[in-house]
Amino acid sequence: PKEGRLRRVAFAQCALLGEDKLMERAQLPEDETGRFSRGLALWFAETFFYSAGYEPFAGIGVFAPQHFALFPAEWTAENIRQLYDTTEGGLDDVRTSALKSRNGDYELTLRIWEVKKFRQLKSFSTRWTPGNVDAALAEFHQQIRTYMEWTALPAGQGLAYAAPAAPAAYVQALGGALGLFLHRKEMLPVAHAPADAALFLRAAQANPDTPFAQLTLVTALQRQQVAGLAADPAALAHARTWLAGDAARSAGLATLAL
């Protein structure tokens, strides 16, 4: 529960600038770039779910029930208006983002739009290479939290939020988890969900002290079982070990089972 008027903010799926054949690629099983475009919006929405004063949303494109959407250009004022018009209760702000890559160098830009006047308020950007992606994303995440005056929820209201130590792997896991969720909702075929638990296990191992990463693995394994996908022995072993440990008990999650 949150008190007072909540600021309703949406984080839109990240546009992928300069990428080739995005429409064709969107019709294929998901790839790392596509997962990032969705996982980034989910990561920020999750972050502000755990902040007092905010009611966050993630705006993700889907050609249901066939495949996800990929965006070749930055969201326009008209895209933002459409998101506003289709969000029950409306929105105060929308955060759009765009990723450009060239020869292993990446640049991410996030823009903050005031919905009332459909005008841009501020923008942030960061750059990284594969060698420093986690540090760059962690610093960028902290910048956005500081600007938006992120405030922790009072103690005793569920899990205490902690940013992942290895955000790149966690963003990939969130993007993959969405595919499994939408398959369960009969909005995507199973081919557009991760066939194994490798990316979820990687995120859990890279973020051993982050309950969110462990729960993403647990949930993914449960949904893969429901979808009839073969269980990954290494992922099952990791998840069961975590559920039986002190971290799960202290978080009140020891009753979960696989």
Side-chain angles (χ1 to χ4, degrees):
K2 298 181 182 181
E3 297 180 356
R5 183 189 181 280
L6 302 181
R7 191 162 189 82
R8 295 165 62 86
V9 298
F11 294 91
Q13 180 174 337
C14 184
L16 303 174
L17 308 184
E19 295 281 336
D20 295 329
K21 300 180 179 179
L22 281 185
M23 181 57 74
E24 293 88 341
R25 285 167 56 185
Q27 299 176 48
L28 301 173
E30 62 171 16
D31 59 22
E32 184 173 331
T33 307
R35 280 196 301 269
F36 179 89
S37 74
R38 297 180 287 273
L40 184 73
L42 294 167
W43 182 32
F44 277 111
E46 176 189 76
T47 300
F48 284 89
F49 176 82
Y50 285 91
S51 175
Y54 283 99
E55 184 178 3
F57 301 84
I60 307 294
V62 183
F63 289 100
Q66 290 86 23
H67 55 81
F68 282 112
L70 296 173
F71 293 85
E74 292 195 51
W75 285 44
T76 65
E78 180 57 30
N79 296 138
I80 294 168
R81 187 185 299 276
Q82 291 170 0
L83 183 61
Y84 173 84
D85 290 342
T86 56
T87 303
E88 185 176 353
L91 296 165
D92 294 301
D93 301 305
V94 173
R95 273 67 173 157
T96 64
S97 57
L99 180 70
K100 291 192 292 187
S101 64
R102 182 179 177 85
N103 300 325
D105 292 322
Y106 296 83
E107 181 180 5
L108 176 66
T109 301
L110 183 144
R111 305 184 191 279
I112 298 178
W113 298 83
E114 180 190 33
V115 171
K116 186 176 181 180
K117 296 182 179 179
F118 292 96
R119 60 172 181 152
Q120 181 179 316
L121 297 177
K122 193 171 178 62
S123 66
F124 297 85
S125 63
T126 187
R127 295 175 181 269
W128 69 81
T129 64
N132 70 340
V133 56
D134 283 325
L137 285 176
E139 182 179 358
F140 189 70
H141 185 250
Q142 183 59 49
Q143 279 185 313
I144 305 303
R145 288 170 61 188
T146 300
Y147 176 78
M148 294 177 62
E149 298 181 343
W150 186 98
T151 305
L153 293 170
Q157 292 189 200
L159 290 172
Y161 184 78
Y170 186 56
V171 166
Q172 287 290 314
L174 288 176
L178 182 63
L180 287 167
F181 173 78
L182 292 179
H183 169 65
R184 181 75 181 272
K185 297 294 184 182
E186 300 182 349
M187 293 180 66
L188 283 179
V190 72
H192 288 271
D196 59 48
L199 66 96
F200 306 108
L201 176 60
R202 187 159 54 246
Q205 290 174 330
N207 297 283
D209 300 322
T210 305
F212 301 96
Q214 313 307 319
L215 283 172
T216 302
L217 170 62
V218 171
T219 305
L221 287 168
Q222 291 173 332
R223 288 179 174 153
Q224 287 176 333
Q225 289 170 357
V226 171
L229 300 172
D232 183 315
L236 273 173
H238 180 99
R240 286 170 173 162
T241 299
W242 184 80
L243 287 171
D246 292 339
R249 281 193 291 272
S250 64
L253 301 169
T255 57
L256 292 175
L258 285 170

